[in-house]
Amino acid sequence: MSYSHYTIASGSRTGRRTFEFGRTYVVRPKGKHQATIVWLHGLGDNGSSWSQLLESLPLPNVKWICPTAPTRPVALLGGFPCTAWFDAGELSEESPDDWEGLDTSAAHIANFLSTEPSDVKVGIGGFSMGAAMALYSATACALGRYGNGIPYPINHRAVVGLSGWLPGSRGLRNKIQVSHEAARRAASLPILLSHGTCDDVVPYKIGEKSAHSLNIAGFWNLTFKNYEGIGHYTVPKEMDEVCNWLTTKLCLEGSR
């Protein structure tokens, strides 16, 4: 298991509060190790439940790393503490972004991938808030830096977001377009987004708008799939399509 600490501003003059990341679950590849994907759970969940599902997928060449977010107060829940990658309030562009929480979790995730062998392709995915974290990491990858300006060290080869949203969408297009390198990385980064049309937790329109925001910012290698009548959960057909997409984008052998 793995634990890590980070600090964030508490909003008071008394300084900073420390939150601890929880246990990390690893699903080892059953075949030749060709890719490593960090998969991020949703609000209030942990890495264990997703590791069990991911282990059952027909992707024998993938190593899955499923970390657990810190337990912290969440504005969306009226300050109630639960596992969360960052603090989130109302899901709208007007809502302030928790840049420090986003950057700290993104760095924690990048650390897992920085030690992978050079011939192994790396990627990131997640569900709900985990999908939001994956998309934030995708934007950091394209920009080549975290929100705080520190260089981002990982070159993602695939990004998957299920039932999520895009944090930090304000100004993203301008940040990407002022750099030829960032625009090139954004245009070539494969992203798969999927969303249920009856999602009552992260509304479908928010998922659709996030896909649009990424597209106009220059993330053109993006696929957005909708699932008619599906709520805030995954279904076998969706996971089948994730498997097929990853197999194609990562050129995996031995998968169906």
Side-chain angles (χ1 to χ4, degrees):
M1 74 176 70
S2 171
Y3 294 92
S4 177
H5 286 82
Y6 77 88
T7 58
I8 66 163
S10 66
S12 69
R13 293 191 178 187
T14 54
R16 295 171 176 266
R17 299 171 66 179
T18 302
F19 300 97
E20 186 178 274
F21 285 88
R23 181 173 176 177
T24 297
Y25 299 81
V26 177
V27 178
R28 310 229 167 250
K30 299 176 180 73
K32 180 186 175 187
H33 183 195
Q34 293 182 298
T36 296
I37 299 173
V38 173
W39 190 270
L40 306 169
H41 64 75
L43 184 66
D45 201 358
N46 60 61
S48 173
S49 55
W50 276 100
S51 70
Q52 293 168 48
L53 172 63
L54 296 169
E55 190 167 19
S56 71
L57 298 181
L59 294 172
N61 306 117
V62 175
K63 172 184 172 184
W64 299 95
I65 300 174
C66 304
T68 299
T71 297
R72 49 159 306 146
V74 178
L76 189 65
L77 305 176
F80 184 81
C82 69
T83 51
W85 299 108
F86 53 93
D87 191 15
E90 188 183 331
L91 299 182
S92 73
E93 282 194 7
E94 289 70 44
S95 188
D97 289 298
D98 174 19
W99 295 106
E100 194 163 5
L102 285 161
D103 279 345
T104 308
S105 286
H108 179 72
I109 294 155
N111 282 342
F112 288 117
L113 296 173
S114 63
T115 55
E116 289 300 292
S118 58
D119 62 336
V120 169
K121 297 162 187 167
V122 299
I124 187 169
F127 174 77
S128 193
M129 179 180 260
M133 197 65 238
L135 291 180
Y136 180 73
S137 297
T139 62
C141 173
L143 291 167
R145 56 181 169 79
Y146 296 99
N148 59 20
I150 294 172
Y152 186 80
I154 304 300
N155 178 27
H156 290 293
R157 302 290 294 274
V159 179
V160 179
L162 311 181
S163 309
W165 71 93
L166 174 65
S169 59
R170 287 189 305 271
L172 178 61
R173 181 182 183 179
N174 292 340
K175 290 176 190 173
I176 296 287
Q177 298 306 328
V178 294
S179 161
H180 289 299
E181 270 301 293
R184 181 188 61 78
R185 285 192 293 263
S188 63
L189 179 58
I191 301 176
L192 173 64
L193 301 181
S194 64
H195 219 107
T197 60
C198 293
D199 193 326
D200 58 350
V201 178
V202 181
Y204 175 75
K205 282 199 175 303
I206 288 180
E208 197 175 40
K209 188 168 186 179
S210 295
H212 179 67
S213 296
L214 285 165
N215 205 268
I216 63 170
F219 291 84
W220 296 327
N221 193 358
L222 184 150
T223 302
F224 180 74
K225 289 185 173 285
N226 61 28
Y227 289 86
E228 198 65 41
I230 299 302
H232 195 65
Y233 49 85
T234 59
V235 290
K237 182 187 176 188
E238 183 179 26
M239 296 313 294
D240 284 347
E241 296 200 9
V242 168
C243 289
N244 293 335
W245 186 85
L246 287 172
T247 298
T248 302
K249 297 299 180 185
L250 298 176
C251 303
L252 300 175
E253 303 161 14
S255 303
R256 62 180 174 78

